[in-house]
Amino acid sequence: MSKAYFGSRISDHILKTPEGFLICKDVPIARTGTQQYRGCEFGGPVADGIYNVQRPEAEVFDRAAVASFEGKPVCDEHPDEDVTPDNYGRYMKGVCRDVRRGDGDLSNCLVADLVIYDADLINKIEAGKREISCGYDCLWNPTSDSSYDQLEIRGNHVAVVDRGRAGHKVAIRDTADDKKD
């Protein structure tokens, strides 16, 4: 069950607090299934090769994986480095909270509420920047010459991006019936 927040309702999933912060509720931040990565993105044997990478349900919804995203920074695009106590001031635009498994059409997604504090990112979201991409560490387990499984997923940040690898479904939603694929 989602948390209750106080603010002016902009849409079924977006509120604005009296201070002007944006609360994006029930945001799919990650999903199970296969996604494609270039070898250079994870140390694959062929840097420009395309690899099918599976995110197994047991790994995405593992208690430690879910807990690892709780309280993590929300960023405007991915930083070139992990977000740490030494650099969070440059990258942190909000916070990820109430991380949980989705239900219904989002049962294959990790869902969270995003509280956005940064005025520039709030303006971008209101203008339509909505897709989400998580920054994380994991183990890359080869399953064939061109396939891997991601194991032991541990969150570092959640980025609001122009175009995320996980597709349009993993995005800030406007309405209750928003079922982008």
Side-chain angles (χ1 to χ4, degrees):
M1 176 178 277
S2 182
K3 302 272 189 217
Y5 296 98
F6 178 75
S8 300
R9 184 178 180 159
I10 294 173
S11 73
D12 290 340
H13 292 280
I14 301 175
L15 301 169
K16 191 168 268 191
T17 70
E19 304 83 9
F21 302 137
L22 203 63
I23 299 172
C24 305
K25 295 175 51 178
D26 308 318
V27 177
I29 62 170
R31 67 170 174 81
T32 62
T34 303
Q35 297 177 36
Q36 293 188 324
Y37 286 77
R38 290 178 302 159
C40 63
E41 294 179 287
F42 69 95
V46 179
D48 60 352
I50 301 295
Y51 296 87
N52 290 319
V53 177
Q54 177 72 25
R55 286 192 186 144
E57 182 176 326
E59 295 297 326
V60 172
F61 301 119
D62 175 74
R63 289 178 67 166
V66 173
S68 75
F69 283 98
E70 188 68 39
K72 289 302 194 279
V74 175
C75 303
D76 184 1
E77 298 292 332
H78 286 291
D80 292 331
E81 57 189 332
D82 280 348
V83 180
T84 68
D86 294 326
N87 63 23
Y88 82 93
R90 286 193 303 263
Y91 302 123
M92 188 170 177
K93 308 298 181 185
V95 67
C96 179
R97 50 171 296 156
D98 195 22
V99 183
R100 62 212 181 267
R101 184 176 188 160
D103 52 20
D105 69 320
L106 298 178
S107 64
N108 69 328
C109 294
L110 196 58
V111 172
D113 298 337
L114 306 182
V115 182
I116 311 299
Y117 304 121
D118 181 74
D120 186 48
L121 184 54
I122 289 169
N123 290 333
K124 289 176 182 178
I125 291 169
E126 290 176 334
K129 184 174 188 174
R130 300 288 173 90
E131 293 196 19
I132 299 296
S133 179
C134 289
Y136 56 90
D137 289 317
C138 69
L139 298 177
W140 297 86
N141 182 47
T143 57
S144 75
D145 288 343
S146 62
S147 298
Y148 285 76
D149 281 350
Q150 287 183 340
L151 308 176
E152 297 183 22
I153 299 165
R154 301 298 182 261
N156 176 264
H157 64 274
V158 174
V160 180
V161 297
D162 289 316
R163 186 165 183 251
R165 180 188 325 270
H168 300 302
K169 183 177 182 177
V170 179
I172 296 167
R173 303 178 308 149
D174 269 336
T175 61
D177 62 351
D178 194 354
K179 295 179 183 175
K180 296 177 183 176
D181 288 325

